Amino acid sequence: MASVSKRRKTPKIRYVVGFTLLIILLFAAVVIYQATQSYKQALQEGEQTAVRFSRILADHVELTFLGVDLSLRRAIERQYFNTLFGNNLPEYTEQNFKVWLNETPQIVAMAMIDSKGIIQVAAHKRGYDNWLDYHETVQGKQLFMHLREADDTQVFIGKHYTKDNDSLIIMSRRYSQLNGEFGGIVVAAMDPGYFIDFYSSIASGHQKFMSLMLPDGASLAVGPYDSPADEELSRQWLAANPQMGEQVQSRTEHIDDLKITALKQLKNMPIVVSVVLDSDQVLSSWREASVKDLGFLGMFVAFGSILSLLAIAMARQIERVEASEASAILASQAKSEFLANMSHELRTPLNAIIGFSEMINSGYFGPLNAKQKERIHDINLCGSHLLQLITDILEFSKGDAGKLELVEEKVDIADIMSEGVRIMNGKIKTKNIHLVLAIEPDLPHVWGDKRKIRQILINLLANAVKFTPEDGTITLTARLDQQHNLSFTVADTGIGIAESDIPKALSVFGQVHRNKSHEGTGLGLPLCKMYAELHSGKLQLTSKVGEGTTVK
């Protein structure tokens, strides 16, 4: 009987072990299959991402170059009419260049060169002083010789190195004299960083790579990640598709690493945009999911092994005690029913929570009541305060980094002061403050950024209202000083600032009266000072405790 019992026992244990291994292998196969499918999907999505990035970048590049080309055409048209009517003065052309440089952020410098290659007029933005040697001729250089032999419809685009060995993108057109002969060229320079920064803003990852190339493979801009291998890969792909048309061409390669390349030929410019994505950008999500799947597989194997051991022990126990089989089955059924009921009891309230949250969000139960509206109003106020703080911080950061540019136009200071008073009138009346306006009549218009000048005035008025007690006086003055410079002053009879605290008040986040429960971010005066200096002006603050403050 002992031998019979042993023979009966062995097949059952083998069945349990075999079944457990089969389940584990099946689960592993499912995980591997899903990982493979996810990998293919990640590659497909990566290729779609590369195509999308290349299209976005191509559209931006094309619009940018068309805008630059428009400035070149305007310069040529202005030169033609100036020559036709005998008003061809270099200072007029230079002034036009400066205006166009302010209107077109992507252009950093412009120049007009005559038929002998001599630079007649030029202008540049700050930081690009050495983009051309104004005392040297460009006779014999590619951009000059190419356009000299071309017609008026052709445009030259190429790479240019400054005296500091920095690279710029050059775009130029030729212009003709009144008799139709070659008159010279107009040149505009762009910083490649303008396009690299744009790509950085739309792409993710640490090794982002884009390039702008001419149809012959010559590079115009490469970055932000310096990768000669990616640059060569783009050049090879371009050489393999010389007639790509306007459709985006893309391919996936496995060399030393996964690379997805997408190229797009611009419709109206002889430029090819290239985007290269690496495995970190394409497969990062897939790798994270694979690690989770492997972890889950390991947990399942461990759980399966434990379950297998338990099943083996159970099988042995069943073989020893046949009578316990029924109770084991009942226990198994009870366990199954318990798990089924618990699963149902958990899913039901969860579905209810999800459903009711969606119904409330969609307004199914009616509009919000007064208290809810009050809370929403509080949230709006807090959000507005935070938005203002962030806006101020970003604005100051841009200015501190030298990236804050002026949008200049003719500005009427009297109108701006009237607008500022209207904006602050509610707070002025609330505190019963007496406002004195002393605006000199017939003030000339000034050349500046209207929005920033208005912000200076509003910030100064807001500070004056904030720190002036009820029934106080605020005096707003605008006049021309002895040097015929425009000056406006905001003076109040408020609590004032100690002379030793004035540098703190003008510093970033510096708040002198923080302990007096006055709201503020500490950026108002520093922003006013920055805006004033951007307009080649200055901000002066004088104050005396208990008597008031004057800012001009």
Side-chain angles (χ1 to χ4, degrees), residues 338-361:
F338 173 76
L339 291 176
N341 290 333
M342 285 301 297
S343 178
H344 174 74
E345 293 299 326
L346 287 174
R347 284 199 304 267
T348 300
L350 180 59
N351 287 331
I353 290 171
I354 295 172
F356 282 130
S357 64
E358 291 177 350
M359 293 167 67
I360 292 171
N361 185 53

PDB file of all heavy atoms in Angstrom, residues 338-361:
ATOM      1  N   PHE A 338     -15.797  35.182  -1.093  1.00  0.00           N
ATOM      2  CA  PHE A 338     -15.378  36.375  -0.347  1.00  0.00           C
ATOM      3  C   PHE A 338     -14.673  37.378  -1.259  1.00  0.00           C
ATOM      4  O   PHE A 338     -14.948  38.584  -1.244  1.00  0.00           O
ATOM      5  CB  PHE A 338     -14.454  35.952   0.795  1.00  0.00           C
ATOM      6  CG  PHE A 338     -13.833  37.111   1.532  1.00  0.00           C
ATOM      7  CD1 PHE A 338     -14.563  37.862   2.443  1.00  0.00           C
ATOM      8  CD2 PHE A 338     -12.504  37.460   1.307  1.00  0.00           C
ATOM      9  CE1 PHE A 338     -13.983  38.924   3.111  1.00  0.00           C
ATOM     10  CE2 PHE A 338     -11.926  38.521   1.963  1.00  0.00           C
ATOM     11  CZ  PHE A 338     -12.668  39.259   2.869  1.00  0.00           C
ATOM     12  N   LEU A 339     -13.752  36.843  -2.074  1.00  0.00           N
ATOM     13  CA  LEU A 339     -13.031  37.742  -2.992  1.00  0.00           C
ATOM     14  C   LEU A 339     -13.972  38.367  -4.006  1.00  0.00           C
ATOM     15  O   LEU A 339     -13.853  39.558  -4.345  1.00  0.00           O
ATOM     16  CB  LEU A 339     -11.926  36.963  -3.709  1.00  0.00           C
ATOM     17  CG  LEU A 339     -10.751  36.506  -2.837  1.00  0.00           C
ATOM     18  CD1 LEU A 339      -9.787  35.665  -3.650  1.00  0.00           C
ATOM     19  CD2 LEU A 339     -10.035  37.705  -2.234  1.00  0.00           C
ATOM     20  N   ALA A 340     -14.944  37.562  -4.510  1.00  0.00           N
ATOM     21  CA  ALA A 340     -15.897  38.104  -5.479  1.00  0.00           C
ATOM     22  C   ALA A 340     -16.753  39.194  -4.861  1.00  0.00           C
ATOM     23  O   ALA A 340     -16.978  40.256  -5.451  1.00  0.00           O
ATOM     24  CB  ALA A 340     -16.766  36.982  -6.034  1.00  0.00           C
ATOM     25  N   ASN A 341     -17.254  38.953  -3.631  1.00  0.00           N
ATOM     26  CA  ASN A 341     -18.101  39.947  -2.964  1.00  0.00           C
ATOM     27  C   ASN A 341     -17.322  41.216  -2.639  1.00  0.00           C
ATOM     28  O   ASN A 341     -17.812  42.338  -2.817  1.00  0.00           O
ATOM     29  CB  ASN A 341     -18.694  39.346  -1.684  1.00  0.00           C
ATOM     30  CG  ASN A 341     -19.734  38.284  -1.987  1.00  0.00           C
ATOM     31  OD1 ASN A 341     -20.371  38.324  -3.041  1.00  0.00           O
ATOM     32  ND2 ASN A 341     -19.908  37.321  -1.096  1.00  0.00           N
ATOM     33  N   MET A 342     -16.098  41.027  -2.123  1.00  0.00           N
ATOM     34  CA  MET A 342     -15.289  42.207  -1.787  1.00  0.00           C
ATOM     35  C   MET A 342     -14.972  43.028  -3.026  1.00  0.00           C
ATOM     36  O   MET A 342     -14.993  44.253  -3.001  1.00  0.00           O
ATOM     37  CB  MET A 342     -13.999  41.753  -1.104  1.00  0.00           C
ATOM     38  CG  MET A 342     -14.185  41.298   0.339  1.00  0.00           C
ATOM     39  SD  MET A 342     -14.872  42.593   1.388  1.00  0.00           S
ATOM     40  CE  MET A 342     -13.586  43.813   1.303  1.00  0.00           C
ATOM     41  N   SER A 343     -14.675  42.320  -4.103  1.00  0.00           N
ATOM     42  CA  SER A 343     -14.398  43.031  -5.352  1.00  0.00           C
ATOM     43  C   SER A 343     -15.611  43.845  -5.787  1.00  0.00           C
ATOM     44  O   SER A 343     -15.494  44.998  -6.197  1.00  0.00           O
ATOM     45  CB  SER A 343     -13.993  42.043  -6.431  1.00  0.00           C
ATOM     46  OG  SER A 343     -13.775  42.696  -7.657  1.00  0.00           O
ATOM     47  N   HIS A 344     -16.780  43.245  -5.693  1.00  0.00           N
ATOM     48  CA  HIS A 344     -18.010  43.943  -6.072  1.00  0.00           C
ATOM     49  C   HIS A 344     -18.265  45.135  -5.148  1.00  0.00           C
ATOM     50  O   HIS A 344     -18.620  46.238  -5.605  1.00  0.00           O
ATOM     51  CB  HIS A 344     -19.187  42.960  -6.013  1.00  0.00           C
ATOM     52  CG  HIS A 344     -20.521  43.620  -6.242  1.00  0.00           C
ATOM     53  ND1 HIS A 344     -20.932  44.045  -7.482  1.00  0.00           N
ATOM     54  CD2 HIS A 344     -21.525  43.933  -5.368  1.00  0.00           C
ATOM     55  CE1 HIS A 344     -22.132  44.594  -7.381  1.00  0.00           C
ATOM     56  NE2 HIS A 344     -22.512  44.530  -6.108  1.00  0.00           N
ATOM     57  N   GLU A 345     -18.073  44.919  -3.827  1.00  0.00           N
ATOM     58  CA  GLU A 345     -18.333  45.993  -2.868  1.00  0.00           C
ATOM     59  C   GLU A 345     -17.367  47.159  -3.035  1.00  0.00           C
ATOM     60  O   GLU A 345     -17.699  48.298  -2.690  1.00  0.00           O
ATOM     61  CB  GLU A 345     -18.242  45.431  -1.442  1.00  0.00           C
ATOM     62  CG  GLU A 345     -19.334  44.429  -1.091  1.00  0.00           C
ATOM     63  CD  GLU A 345     -20.726  45.046  -1.177  1.00  0.00           C
ATOM     64  OE1 GLU A 345     -20.854  46.238  -0.866  1.00  0.00           O
ATOM     65  OE2 GLU A 345     -21.659  44.345  -1.580  1.00  0.00           O
ATOM     66  N   LEU A 346     -16.164  46.874  -3.508  1.00  0.00           N
ATOM     67  CA  LEU A 346     -15.195  47.965  -3.725  1.00  0.00           C
ATOM     68  C   LEU A 346     -15.459  48.702  -5.033  1.00  0.00           C
ATOM     69  O   LEU A 346     -15.327  49.923  -5.110  1.00  0.00           O
ATOM     70  CB  LEU A 346     -13.770  47.398  -3.729  1.00  0.00           C
ATOM     71  CG  LEU A 346     -13.225  46.962  -2.364  1.00  0.00           C
ATOM     72  CD1 LEU A 346     -11.870  46.281  -2.545  1.00  0.00           C
ATOM     73  CD2 LEU A 346     -13.103  48.130  -1.414  1.00  0.00           C
ATOM     74  N   ARG A 347     -15.806  47.944  -6.068  1.00  0.00           N
ATOM     75  CA  ARG A 347     -16.039  48.583  -7.365  1.00  0.00           C
ATOM     76  C   ARG A 347     -17.272  49.478  -7.355  1.00  0.00           C
ATOM     77  O   ARG A 347     -17.299  50.535  -7.984  1.00  0.00           O
ATOM     78  CB  ARG A 347     -16.178  47.523  -8.468  1.00  0.00           C
ATOM     79  CG  ARG A 347     -14.878  46.888  -8.920  1.00  0.00           C
ATOM     80  CD  ARG A 347     -15.029  46.224 -10.284  1.00  0.00           C
ATOM     81  NE  ARG A 347     -16.096  45.245 -10.272  1.00  0.00           N
ATOM     82  CZ  ARG A 347     -15.908  43.957 -10.016  1.00  0.00           C
ATOM     83  NH1 ARG A 347     -14.704  43.525  -9.723  1.00  0.00           N
ATOM     84  NH2 ARG A 347     -16.921  43.117 -10.040  1.00  0.00           N
ATOM     85  N   THR A 348     -18.316  49.060  -6.641  1.00  0.00           N
ATOM     86  CA  THR A 348     -19.571  49.817  -6.672  1.00  0.00           C
ATOM     87  C   THR A 348     -19.410  51.252  -6.142  1.00  0.00           C
ATOM     88  O   THR A 348     -19.765  52.211  -6.826  1.00  0.00           O
ATOM     89  CB  THR A 348     -20.655  49.060  -5.885  1.00  0.00           C
ATOM     90  OG1 THR A 348     -20.847  47.783  -6.491  1.00  0.00           O
ATOM     91  CG2 THR A 348     -21.960  49.830  -5.896  1.00  0.00           C
ATOM     92  N   PRO A 349     -18.863  51.446  -4.919  1.00  0.00           N
ATOM     93  CA  PRO A 349     -18.692  52.842  -4.466  1.00  0.00           C
ATOM     94  C   PRO A 349     -17.678  53.621  -5.300  1.00  0.00           C
ATOM     95  O   PRO A 349     -17.815  54.830  -5.484  1.00  0.00           O
ATOM     96  CB  PRO A 349     -18.220  52.685  -3.014  1.00  0.00           C
ATOM     97  CG  PRO A 349     -17.669  51.309  -2.925  1.00  0.00           C
ATOM     98  CD  PRO A 349     -18.460  50.490  -3.870  1.00  0.00           C
ATOM     99  N   LEU A 350     -16.658  52.915  -5.798  1.00  0.00           N
ATOM    100  CA  LEU A 350     -15.667  53.619  -6.625  1.00  0.00           C
ATOM    101  C   LEU A 350     -16.306  54.167  -7.887  1.00  0.00           C
ATOM    102  O   LEU A 350     -16.081  55.322  -8.276  1.00  0.00           O
ATOM    103  CB  LEU A 350     -14.516  52.679  -6.976  1.00  0.00           C
ATOM    104  CG  LEU A 350     -13.402  53.278  -7.842  1.00  0.00           C
ATOM    105  CD1 LEU A 350     -12.780  54.472  -7.147  1.00  0.00           C
ATOM    106  CD2 LEU A 350     -12.342  52.231  -8.163  1.00  0.00           C
ATOM    107  N   ASN A 351     -17.118  53.364  -8.545  1.00  0.00           N
ATOM    108  CA  ASN A 351     -17.824  53.833  -9.740  1.00  0.00           C
ATOM    109  C   ASN A 351     -18.769  54.977  -9.401  1.00  0.00           C
ATOM    110  O   ASN A 351     -18.943  55.925 -10.182  1.00  0.00           O
ATOM    111  CB  ASN A 351     -18.603  52.675 -10.373  1.00  0.00           C
ATOM    112  CG  ASN A 351     -17.688  51.673 -11.060  1.00  0.00           C
ATOM    113  OD1 ASN A 351     -16.625  52.037 -11.539  1.00  0.00           O
ATOM    114  ND2 ASN A 351     -18.093  50.421 -11.093  1.00  0.00           N
ATOM    115  N   ALA A 352     -19.410  54.874  -8.216  1.00  0.00           N
ATOM    116  CA  ALA A 352     -20.327  55.944  -7.809  1.00  0.00           C
ATOM    117  C   ALA A 352     -19.566  57.258  -7.601  1.00  0.00           C
ATOM    118  O   ALA A 352     -20.019  58.334  -8.012  1.00  0.00           O
ATOM    119  CB  ALA A 352     -21.059  55.536  -6.524  1.00  0.00           C
ATOM    120  N   ILE A 353     -18.394  57.167  -6.964  1.00  0.00           N
ATOM    121  CA  ILE A 353     -17.588  58.375  -6.719  1.00  0.00           C
ATOM    122  C   ILE A 353     -17.185  59.024  -8.043  1.00  0.00           C
ATOM    123  O   ILE A 353     -17.305  60.232  -8.243  1.00  0.00           O
ATOM    124  CB  ILE A 353     -16.331  58.007  -5.897  1.00  0.00           C
ATOM    125  CG1 ILE A 353     -16.749  57.641  -4.472  1.00  0.00           C
ATOM    126  CG2 ILE A 353     -15.338  59.171  -5.873  1.00  0.00           C
ATOM    127  CD1 ILE A 353     -15.625  57.057  -3.647  1.00  0.00           C
ATOM    128  N   ILE A 354     -16.740  58.189  -8.969  1.00  0.00           N
ATOM    129  CA  ILE A 354     -16.328  58.722 -10.278  1.00  0.00           C
ATOM    130  C   ILE A 354     -17.520  59.333 -11.008  1.00  0.00           C
ATOM    131  O   ILE A 354     -17.445  60.431 -11.558  1.00  0.00           O
ATOM    132  CB  ILE A 354     -15.680  57.605 -11.118  1.00  0.00           C
ATOM    133  CG1 ILE A 354     -14.382  57.135 -10.466  1.00  0.00           C
ATOM    134  CG2 ILE A 354     -15.414  58.076 -12.535  1.00  0.00           C
ATOM    135  CD1 ILE A 354     -13.775  55.917 -11.129  1.00  0.00           C
ATOM    136  N   GLY A 355     -18.627  58.633 -10.986  1.00  0.00           N
ATOM    137  CA  GLY A 355     -19.809  59.137 -11.701  1.00  0.00           C
ATOM    138  C   GLY A 355     -20.328  60.434 -11.115  1.00  0.00           C
ATOM    139  O   GLY A 355     -20.625  61.393 -11.845  1.00  0.00           O
ATOM    140  N   PHE A 356     -20.454  60.482  -9.768  1.00  0.00           N
ATOM    141  CA  PHE A 356     -20.971  61.705  -9.145  1.00  0.00           C
ATOM    142  C   PHE A 356     -20.016  62.884  -9.340  1.00  0.00           C
ATOM    143  O   PHE A 356     -20.454  64.019  -9.543  1.00  0.00           O
ATOM    144  CB  PHE A 356     -21.204  61.481  -7.644  1.00  0.00           C
ATOM    145  CG  PHE A 356     -22.460  60.712  -7.347  1.00  0.00           C
ATOM    146  CD1 PHE A 356     -22.441  59.608  -6.509  1.00  0.00           C
ATOM    147  CD2 PHE A 356     -23.678  61.089  -7.912  1.00  0.00           C
ATOM    148  CE1 PHE A 356     -23.590  58.887  -6.238  1.00  0.00           C
ATOM    149  CE2 PHE A 356     -24.830  60.371  -7.642  1.00  0.00           C
ATOM    150  CZ  PHE A 356     -24.793  59.271  -6.812  1.00  0.00           C
ATOM    151  N   SER A 357     -18.711  62.627  -9.299  1.00  0.00           N
ATOM    152  CA  SER A 357     -17.756  63.733  -9.502  1.00  0.00           C
ATOM    153  C   SER A 357     -17.896  64.311 -10.909  1.00  0.00           C
ATOM    154  O   SER A 357     -17.828  65.526 -11.100  1.00  0.00           O
ATOM    155  CB  SER A 357     -16.333  63.238  -9.270  1.00  0.00           C
ATOM    156  OG  SER A 357     -15.985  62.254 -10.232  1.00  0.00           O
ATOM    157  N   GLU A 358     -18.104  63.448 -11.876  1.00  0.00           N
ATOM    158  CA  GLU A 358     -18.277  63.932 -13.256  1.00  0.00           C
ATOM    159  C   GLU A 358     -19.592  64.704 -13.399  1.00  0.00           C
ATOM    160  O   GLU A 358     -19.669  65.711 -14.100  1.00  0.00           O
ATOM    161  CB  GLU A 358     -18.244  62.753 -14.224  1.00  0.00           C
ATOM    162  CG  GLU A 358     -16.880  62.092 -14.338  1.00  0.00           C
ATOM    163  CD  GLU A 358     -16.903  60.876 -15.240  1.00  0.00           C
ATOM    164  OE1 GLU A 358     -18.021  60.454 -15.617  1.00  0.00           O
ATOM    165  OE2 GLU A 358     -15.806  60.354 -15.560  1.00  0.00           O
ATOM    166  N   MET A 359     -20.650  64.192 -12.720  1.00  0.00           N
ATOM    167  CA  MET A 359     -21.943  64.876 -12.801  1.00  0.00           C
ATOM    168  C   MET A 359     -21.880  66.270 -12.150  1.00  0.00           C
ATOM    169  O   MET A 359     -22.402  67.252 -12.693  1.00  0.00           O
ATOM    170  CB  MET A 359     -23.020  64.026 -12.114  1.00  0.00           C
ATOM    171  CG  MET A 359     -23.331  62.709 -12.847  1.00  0.00           C
ATOM    172  SD  MET A 359     -24.305  61.570 -11.876  1.00  0.00           S
ATOM    173  CE  MET A 359     -25.845  62.480 -11.795  1.00  0.00           C
ATOM    174  N   ILE A 360     -21.218  66.367 -10.987  1.00  0.00           N
ATOM    175  CA  ILE A 360     -21.098  67.666 -10.318  1.00  0.00           C
ATOM    176  C   ILE A 360     -20.270  68.615 -11.165  1.00  0.00           C
ATOM    177  O   ILE A 360     -20.602  69.791 -11.328  1.00  0.00           O
ATOM    178  CB  ILE A 360     -20.457  67.480  -8.927  1.00  0.00           C
ATOM    179  CG1 ILE A 360     -21.429  66.719  -8.022  1.00  0.00           C
ATOM    180  CG2 ILE A 360     -20.108  68.823  -8.299  1.00  0.00           C
ATOM    181  CD1 ILE A 360     -20.807  66.306  -6.694  1.00  0.00           C
ATOM    182  N   ASN A 361     -19.225  68.117 -11.742  1.00  0.00           N
ATOM    183  CA  ASN A 361     -18.348  68.955 -12.563  1.00  0.00           C
ATOM    184  C   ASN A 361     -19.066  69.486 -13.795  1.00  0.00           C
ATOM    185  O   ASN A 361     -18.793  70.586 -14.259  1.00  0.00           O
ATOM    186  CB  ASN A 361     -17.116  68.146 -12.972  1.00  0.00           C
ATOM    187  CG  ASN A 361     -16.104  68.988 -13.734  1.00  0.00           C
ATOM    188  OD1 ASN A 361     -15.699  70.039 -13.273  1.00  0.00           O
ATOM    189  ND2 ASN A 361     -15.727  68.530 -14.903  1.00  0.00           N
TER     190      ASN A 361
END
